[in-house]
């Protein structure tokens, strides 16, 4: 039985890890089934640092899209201290890439080749500002003296504010913000500063990871923070402010690499992202803002047209069930468990009437 319905433009994912090889083939269909486009993270081993790498990776992704799915990867380059401004400019102007990703060296998975000294990448950032190329930022300092729960807030104060003063025209996406300081910074900044929010940071706080035992499948970076921050992120998501949009940061790792003495950061949320989001937006009384968050704001920031196609989510009395584990060929992969039942289901049979324009909500 259906108790609610939501029709919205097909969403896009403005921050996604799809990996390569067998993991790519296992993970990608869960995104391409729901999303029309996704900003693809470049932190492969070795990373995607040149336009040549990006072209080859794009072709491998396109080859892995299942028949019947309409999905375009939006490629990024991994910024290193030897990135060539001309290569970046040419890759953007020819439409090969949509953004550049800044990882502070050592901040997260496969970030060793990232940036140690921002001075060393200023020529690239200045060229990006001139051309309007977005910089996607993993906003955490790596200073060992800074507590891991404070690394985002300190990054804003020490790195981001100065960067914005030095290159005020640079268009920046603070990726996967996790703190009220992040929300406030983005809210108060100019139009060229935006942020992505992940479904998991809207659903869990740090207790999920640490209470009753260490739960590695809730470990990601930036790490989930205390409850007041989750509340701030939820408010930002439903506020209808165009600077906040969906970037799932769905980041698959085989269970063997998560369930380990030194487990990897990342949660695989792609299979139930839309169900989680509808649940959260409904709890916040903001279902009418879900389309802006998932389907409009990101496209506008990236200066792309929103998708024309519509999808339908239905609320049923039976929970939406995705397999808890997926066999990837590179080991089992655990799907994000929000810790509650999900009643919003994507309706895979839905085809919008031609010309249907209005977004409908009923719940
Ligand atoms: O949790 C995360 N996983 N955060 C990141 O920044 C990287 C990602 C990954 O690649 O696994
Ligand atoms: Zn990520």
């Amino acid at each position: 039985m259906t108790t609610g319905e939501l029709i919205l433009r097909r969403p896009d994912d403005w921050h996604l890890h799809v990996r390569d090889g067998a993991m790519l083939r296992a993970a990608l269909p869960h995104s391409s089934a729901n999303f029309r486009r996704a900003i693809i993270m470049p932190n492969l081993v070795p990373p995607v640092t040149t336009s040549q790498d990006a072209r080859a990776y794009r072709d491998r992704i396109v080859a892995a899209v299942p028949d019947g799915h309409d999905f375009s990867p939006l490629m990024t380059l991994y910024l290193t201290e030897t990135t060539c401004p001309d290569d970046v400019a040419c890759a953007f102007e020819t439409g090969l890439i949509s953004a550049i990703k800044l990882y502070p060296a050592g901040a997260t998975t496969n970030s060793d080749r990232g940036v140690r000294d921002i001075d060393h990448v200023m020529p690239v950032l200045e060229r990006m500002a001139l051309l309007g190329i977005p910089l996607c930022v993993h906003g955490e300092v790596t200073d060992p003296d800074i507590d891991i729960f404070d690394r985002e807030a300190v990054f804003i104060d020490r790195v981001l504010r100065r960067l914005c003063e030095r290159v005020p025209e640079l268009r920046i996406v603070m990726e996967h913000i996790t703190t009220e300081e992040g929300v406030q910074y983005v809210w108060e900044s100019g139009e060229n500063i935006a942020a992505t929010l992940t479904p998991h940071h809207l659903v869990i706080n740090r207790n999920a990871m640490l209470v009753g035992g260490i739960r590695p499948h809730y470990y990601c970076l930036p790490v989930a923070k205390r409850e007041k921050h989750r509340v701030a992120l939820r408010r930002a998501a439903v506020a209808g402010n165009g600077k906040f949009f969906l970037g799932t940061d769905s980041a698959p790792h085989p269970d063997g690499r998560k369930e380990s003495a030194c487990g990897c950061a990342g949660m695989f949320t792609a299979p139930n992202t839309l169900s989680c989001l509808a649940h959260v937006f409904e709890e916040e009384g903001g279902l009418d803002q879900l389309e802006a968050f998932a389907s409009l704001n990101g496209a506008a920031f990236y200066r792309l047209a929103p998708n024309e196609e519509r999808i339908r989510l239905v609320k049923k009395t039976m929970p939406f069930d995705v397999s808890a584990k997926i066999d990837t060929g590179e080991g089992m992969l655990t799907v994000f468990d929000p810790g509650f039942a999900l009643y919003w289901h994507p309706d895979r049979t839905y085809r919008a009437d031609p010309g249907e324009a209005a977004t409908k909500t009923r719940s």
Side-chain angles (χ1 to χ4, degrees), residues 199 202 246 272-282 290 293-294:
L202 298 176
L246 173 63
N272 55 21
T273 288
L274 294 178
S275 300
C276 288
L277 285 178
H279 183 104
V280 166
F281 275 63
E282 185 173 41
L290 182 57
F293 179 74

Side-chain angles (χ1 to χ4, degrees), residues 30-84:
H30 296 278
S31 293
S32 59
N34 293 313
F35 298 97
R36 172 66 185 82
R37 301 170 286 202
I39 287 277
I40 304 295
M41 288 296 118
N43 62 335
L44 301 183
V45 185
V48 179
T49 55
T50 65
S51 50
Q52 213 181 349
D53 298 338
R55 194 171 298 111
Y57 187 32
R58 182 192 59 191
D59 293 348
R60 296 197 296 280
I61 295 170
V62 169
V65 175
D67 288 346
H69 288 192
D70 183 14
F71 176 81
S72 301
L74 304 177
M75 306 309 292
T76 61
L77 293 182
Y78 181 117
L79 184 62
T80 72
E81 295 191 0
T82 56
T83 296
C84 166

Side-chain angles (χ1 to χ4, degrees), residues 15 17 19 43 101 103 108-110 138 176 219-222 249 251-253 265-267:
H15 182 128
H17 300 265
R19 316 299 189 205
N43 62 335
K101 176 71 190 237
Y103 288 106
T108 188
T109 313
N110 304 332
H138 184 108
H176 43 53
Y219 174 60
C220 65
L221 287 169
D249 200 15
H253 291 281
M267 298 185 207

